[in-house]
Amino acid sequence: MIRITKQTDYGIVLLTHLAGAPERHVNAPELAGETHLPLPMVSKILKILVREGLLASHRGVKGGYSLSRPPGAISMAEVVTALEGPIAITECIDDNGGCEHSTACAVRGRWHRINTALREALAGISLAEMTDAPRPEPKLVTLGGRPALAITA
Amino acid sequence: MIRITKQTDYGIVLLTHLAGAPERHVNAPELAGETHLPLPMVSKILKILVREGLLASHRGVKGGYSLSRPPGAISMAEVVTALEGPIAITECIDDNGGCEHSTACAVRGRWHRINTALREALAGISLAEMTDAPRPEPKLVTLGGRPALAITA
DNA sequence: AGTATACAGGACTGACACGGTCCTGATTCC
DNA sequence: GGAATCAGGACCGTGTCAGTCCTGTATACT
Ligand code: FES
Ligand code: FES
């Protein structure tokens, strides 16, 4: 199914929620309550996001978390990378020789086209864009038509 | 890591291999040998691809598999869909109400932007493009630059 | 100073999907 | 008729993921 993990899913929900009211310190239980996500999971994810530099934390009483940067300056690619590691749909990251089949593989090196396509897709969406909900969903289902994507390489 | 399953990985290798010499009937053991993949897995995957209409099979002695269409007319999106089901990076396919958190979820409906971006990326690459290796890899690593992807909706 | 609050960083566990194997039919060519 | 080959399952071990919990450390308030 090419799924992201629930960690990442939750992480994005949390970040999106925080993006709605930046400059506000929120603690873990509060955040869990507002997003209806299990507290331990929320806590775990927040710690990761702090370590990866996407969130700033403040300890002690009245402590909490807040975005380390404005929502517009955080891309989905960063978020996913922080929570899942390098963005690559296949085993063979890049065109290095880390793959066991490398010598005999027909698609060797071809894959990163798809990988970069995905990377760029994620890099093109900022956290802010996940929050603002002005447009009323202009019927965007267009699968099957000519792809609007120009893969440079 | 946002990985595709090995099934799909193998499947693409197999299809790519077949695309190299279309109009040729190849049987499973032969194909497994040429791609250096485990035979039972190859067999399993080939069956799926036949059922999904991407391959044509021919039984009996001198039987085998061949592409059902020219390589240029098969997109990666089809292949992945055949082997993994609907292409969606998240649980909540489309904007239906199939999600448990739907009512309280901040990113509700936002996700399919990313989903469609991925879909279009995969739809834009044909099987033929995975095979022909004329260009010598024009240094395509450009992550970090302005995304070249225009998400229409 | 002392205490309550909240983050930091792990270790730990059950459930489940995935990778891989194998067996029993159906179909075609020689 | 017999051999080769595909068709369609059932089956199982393993690894990863979702989720929990425990111990330590830093901060604010009294
Ligand atoms: S499977 Fe790794 S190089 Fe092809
Ligand atoms: S998690 Fe399903 S709608 Fe948001």
Side-chain angles (χ1 to χ4, degrees), chain B residues 5-151:
Chain B
T5 58
K6 273 212 164 80
Q7 260 198 17
T8 307
D9 195 345
Y10 292 172
I12 294 179
V13 171
L14 291 172
L15 285 173
T16 304
H17 189 80
L18 281 176
E23 306 299 334
R24 172 190 165 216
H25 277 221
V26 194
N27 62 18
E30 206 171 342
L31 208 39
E34 295 176 8
T35 54
H36 301 95
L37 296 177
L39 171 58
M41 212 69 227
V42 168
S43 178
K44 184 182 189 175
I45 294 169
L46 290 174
K47 289 174 210 168
I48 297 176
L49 291 174
V50 168
R51 199 189 43 195
E52 297 291 326
L54 291 177
L55 285 182
S57 67
H58 195 59
R59 293 208 205 186
V61 181
K62 286 218 51 170
Y65 296 92
S66 59
L67 293 179
S68 66
R69 273 176 282 164
I74 299 179
S75 75
M76 279 296 130
E78 285 181 272
V79 178
V80 174
T81 302
L83 289 165
E84 311 229 13
I87 297 175
I89 224 174
T90 57
E91 292 286 350
C92 332
I93 328 275
D94 297 328
D95 50 336
N96 63 1
C99 175
E100 56 236 58
H101 308 119
S102 55
T103 61
C105 177
V107 294
R108 170 156 181 65
R110 308 267 145 223
W111 260 124
H112 52 22
R113 264 203 225 186
I114 297 179
N115 284 337
T116 50
L118 174 59
R119 263 191 279 257
E120 289 178 347
L122 288 176
I125 302 180
S126 79
L127 199 53
E129 289 183 80
M130 297 287 283
T131 316
D132 63 347
R135 7 183 151 65
E137 309 231 356
K139 198 64 176 175
L140 56 64
V141 179
T142 62
L143 182 52
R146 171 201 38 48
L149 176 64
I151 299 165

Side-chain angles (χ1 to χ4, degrees), chain A residues 18-74:
Chain A
L18 281 176
E23 305 299 334
R24 172 190 166 216
H25 278 222
V26 194
N27 62 17
E30 206 170 342
L31 208 39
E34 295 176 9
T35 55
H36 301 95
L37 296 177
L39 171 58
M41 211 69 227
V42 168
S43 178
K44 184 183 189 174
I45 294 169
L46 290 174
K47 288 173 209 168
I48 297 175
L49 290 175
V50 168
R51 200 188 42 195
E52 297 292 325
L54 292 178
L55 284 182
S57 67
H58 195 60
R59 294 207 205 186
V61 182
K62 287 217 51 171
Y65 297 92
S66 59
L67 294 179
S68 64
R69 274 176 283 165
I74 300 179

Side-chain angles (χ1 to χ4, degrees), chain A residues 92 99-102 105 107-109 111, chain B residues 9 13:
Chain A
C92 330
C99 176
E100 56 236 57
H101 307 121
S102 55
C105 176
V107 295
R108 169 157 181 65
W111 260 125
Chain B
D9 195 345
V13 171

Side-chain angles (χ1 to χ4, degrees), chain A residues 8 11-12 15 48-55 68-87 118-128, chain B residues 2 114 143-144:
Chain A
T8 307
I12 294 178
L15 285 173
I48 297 175
L49 290 175
V50 168
R51 200 188 42 195
E52 297 292 325
L54 292 178
L55 284 182
S68 64
R69 274 176 283 165
I74 300 179
S75 75
M76 278 297 129
E78 284 182 273
V79 178
V80 174
T81 302
L83 290 165
E84 311 228 14
I87 297 174
L118 174 59
R119 263 191 278 259
E120 289 179 347
L122 288 177
I125 303 180
S126 79
L127 199 54
Chain B
I2 310 192
I114 297 179
L143 182 52

